[in-house]
């Protein structure tokens, strides 16, 4: 039987070189835009939260950044809490809400499809995190096309 001679990992150990950056740190030029679309259910995987972080990073790199919540993506923009709105039932429970609020506080814009909000998930506009702009389902495609026309970077978030 082989013997394990390497000591066990310890708290504070480095397992990878996290400081080496291989690519240049790209920053937006004046007037560059970005759009991050979300067609994913909150808490169904990490993609929703990871791309909220990406949207925040795009904003910090100087892009005029917008988020589009449509289809199941509107569930990311609904106020949460338990036993009351805003109360965190467990650590990380309000990650989506907190990240969206932070993104908007830093100047990002967030839009949510009214059709998905009501017809698919049974919520009214009052259920949205304050600051999110509800839009017509007819505006969903136009928002994407406007960004495309303006040469924006578009990051689509999908899960099935």
């Amino acid at each position: 039987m082989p013997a394990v001679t390497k000591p066990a990992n310890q708290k504070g150990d480095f397992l990878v070189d996290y400081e080496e950056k291989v690519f240049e740190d790209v920053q937006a030029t004046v007037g560059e835009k970005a759009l991050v679309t979300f067609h994913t259910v909150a808490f169904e995987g990490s993609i929703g939260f990871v791309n909220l972080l990406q949207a925040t990073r795009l904003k910090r790199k100087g892009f005029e950044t917008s988020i589009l919540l449509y289809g199941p993506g509107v569930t990311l923009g609904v106020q949460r809490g338990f036993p009351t709105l805003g109360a965190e039932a467990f650590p990380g429970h309000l990650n989506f809400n907190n990240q969206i609020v932070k993104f908007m506080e830093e100047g990002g814009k967030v839009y949510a499809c009214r059709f998905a909000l009501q017809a698919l998930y049974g919520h009214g506009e009052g259920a949205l995190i304050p600051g999110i702009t509800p839009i017509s389902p007819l505006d969903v495609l136009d928002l994407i096309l406007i960004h495309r026309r303006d040469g924006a970077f578009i990051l689509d978030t999908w899960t099935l």
Side-chain angles (χ1 to χ4, degrees):
M1 186 94 169
V4 176
T5 58
K6 180 187 176 299
N9 294 339
Q10 300 294 314
K11 184 175 182 176
D13 285 352
F14 296 98
L15 302 180
V16 297
D17 179 357
Y18 69 92
E19 291 182 339
E20 179 189 16
K21 186 157 179 3
V22 177
F23 302 104
E24 68 177 289
D25 183 17
V26 176
Q27 299 292 314
T29 58
V30 176
E32 276 192 292
K33 295 181 178 182
L35 174 66
V36 183
T37 71
F38 289 83
H39 194 277
T40 185
V41 178
F43 300 103
E44 290 294 315
S46 64
I47 191 72
F49 187 67
V50 168
N51 279 348
L52 285 174
L53 295 172
Q54 296 287 40
T56 303
R57 188 155 184 247
L58 283 163
K59 182 73 185 118
R60 290 175 181 170
K61 285 178 164 287
F63 290 86
E64 181 185 315
T65 308
S66 298
I67 287 174
L68 170 61
L69 307 174
Y70 70 113
V74 298
T75 63
L76 278 74
V78 173
Q79 295 182 65
R80 290 189 161 69
F82 188 84
T84 60
L85 290 178
E88 193 171 43
F90 54 86
H93 174 220
L94 298 179
N95 277 355
F96 293 104
N97 293 66
N98 293 339
Q99 194 60 40
I100 288 172
V101 168
K102 180 185 292 186
F103 175 77
M104 290 189 296
E105 286 174 349
E106 294 184 18
K109 299 173 191 159
V110 182
Y111 302 94
C113 175
R114 286 181 168 123
F115 175 82
L117 193 63
Q118 178 180 333
L120 302 181
Y121 297 99
H123 291 290
E125 295 174 12
L128 291 172
I129 297 166
I132 294 178
T133 303
I135 61 173
S136 163
L138 299 176
D139 283 329
V140 169
L141 179 59
D142 286 326
L143 179 62
I144 295 168
L145 291 173
I146 288 167
H147 278 79
R148 179 180 170 270
R149 178 188 66 204
D150 292 347
F153 170 74
I154 300 175
L155 178 61
D156 292 309
T157 303
W158 283 79
T159 59
L160 300 174

